[in-house]
Amino acid sequence: MGGQERSRVAGAVAREMRGAGPREVPRRLCEAVVKLLPVDDAGVALRGEGMPVPLGASGQRAADVMELEVTLGDGPGLEAAATGAPVCARDLSSSEDALRWPVFAEQAAAAGVRSVYALPLGDRAVCVGTVDLYRDVPGELTAGELRTARTAADVVTSALVALPRGERDDAGRWLSPLAAGHGEVYQAVGMVMVRLGVPAEEALSLLRGHAFARGCPVLELAHEVITLHTRVDRLDGPGGFGGLDVPGGFGGPPPP
């Protein structure tokens, strides 16, 4: 039965991937997963240094929710990547999930996502990322659906591993638009480390906190830092998560 299920899933993914160029692969993988399971959106992210790196999404909402985890440093995908085990958020509007990921649950639910299932990519020894499944309704996957989801995660891992890298200019040419800009976050972290004399983890926390307080993704703030539109020394002070009085929170209007 396991071999038949893998063949079925692999065949469905292969059909969805026909004609896809390297940059289209992550998005096409997400679209295949959505067709295989009773979910509304899907995203795939690599496990990065201190934050996930979104690779692809089936739609803009999934991309926005993944970016929310990047900015907050919290959420089901990050937990699945850290533990190497599947993580289920049955109902983001419930007190249970709100206690686990307070801001993420509120913001994702406001975007219409009611439940999330995050599955690790890789094997039991090494988790290289996650595939995150989003639904408009609360609830869990059934045992059979979960088996399909795990098989799909294995197939997604194999497809990502097969992408070209390390030869001439191949190392980055397959990166999707979602992933390509996240190098700026690491560059901004380096600038904050040098200017403020803080370790990488604290530098990333400062960027995340101020991005949230401004109501913008951390990627947007990082771009401003490296293009010198935001001074690094302004990050060393009030802002962070103490500045939650900013109207709208993540995705809301910027402060006046």
Side-chain angles (χ1 to χ4, degrees):
M1 182 66 71
Q4 291 178 350
E5 176 69 355
R6 185 174 179 85
S7 295
R8 182 182 74 85
V9 171
V13 171
R15 288 191 295 274
E16 193 68 29
M17 299 285 287
R18 282 183 190 143
R23 286 179 180 267
E24 297 177 277
V25 167
R27 174 179 59 82
R28 293 281 193 96
L29 289 171
C30 294
E31 291 172 349
V33 170
V34 170
K35 290 181 179 180
L36 282 165
L37 291 160
V39 299
D40 299 288
D41 290 298
V44 61
L46 290 182
R47 185 180 184 183
E49 291 293 331
M51 67 177 187
V53 178
L55 285 185
S58 60
Q60 187 58 50
R61 184 175 64 171
D64 290 343
V65 175
M66 286 196 296
E67 198 63 53
L68 178 60
E69 290 203 45
V70 173
T71 297
L72 297 177
D74 193 27
L78 275 163
E79 186 172 323
T83 62
V87 174
C88 177
R90 297 173 182 83
D91 185 356
L92 292 175
S93 297
S94 70
S95 58
E96 178 184 356
D97 288 335
L99 287 173
R100 294 170 75 184
W101 313 287
V103 182
F104 172 85
E106 178 185 1
Q107 297 289 333
V113 175
R114 288 295 300 277
S115 57
V116 182
Y117 214 107
L119 295 105
L121 301 177
D123 54 35
R124 294 181 180 179
V126 178
C127 174
V128 299
T130 62
V131 58
D132 302 327
L133 312 175
Y134 307 106
R135 302 175 73 186
D136 295 345
V137 295
E140 297 183 68
L141 298 178
T142 67
E145 291 163 354
L146 181 55
R147 283 194 295 271
T148 298
R150 288 178 182 272
T151 303
D154 289 342
V155 173
V156 167
T157 301
S158 298
L160 293 175
V161 169
L163 285 167
R165 54 175 58 78
E167 297 179 5
R168 298 186 297 276
D169 63 341
D170 281 346
R173 71 181 179 87
W174 57 265
L175 288 178
S176 70
L178 275 181
H182 279 75
E184 292 187 345
V185 179
Y186 293 109
Q187 187 176 347
V189 165
M191 292 175 67
V192 174
M193 290 172 63
V194 171
R195 180 67 179 82
L196 301 182
V198 297
E201 183 176 350
E202 184 175 342
L204 179 56
S205 293
L206 284 168
L207 286 170
R208 279 173 162 157
H210 280 263
F212 184 85
R214 280 184 40 182
C216 71
V218 71
L219 181 59
E220 181 180 321
L221 179 61
H223 180 74
E224 292 184 11
V225 168
I226 67 174
T227 57
L228 306 182
H229 285 86
T230 292
R231 290 173 51 185
V232 171
D233 54 8
R234 290 182 179 175
L235 303 179
D236 188 20
F241 286 98
L244 297 185
D245 56 335
V246 174
F250 180 85

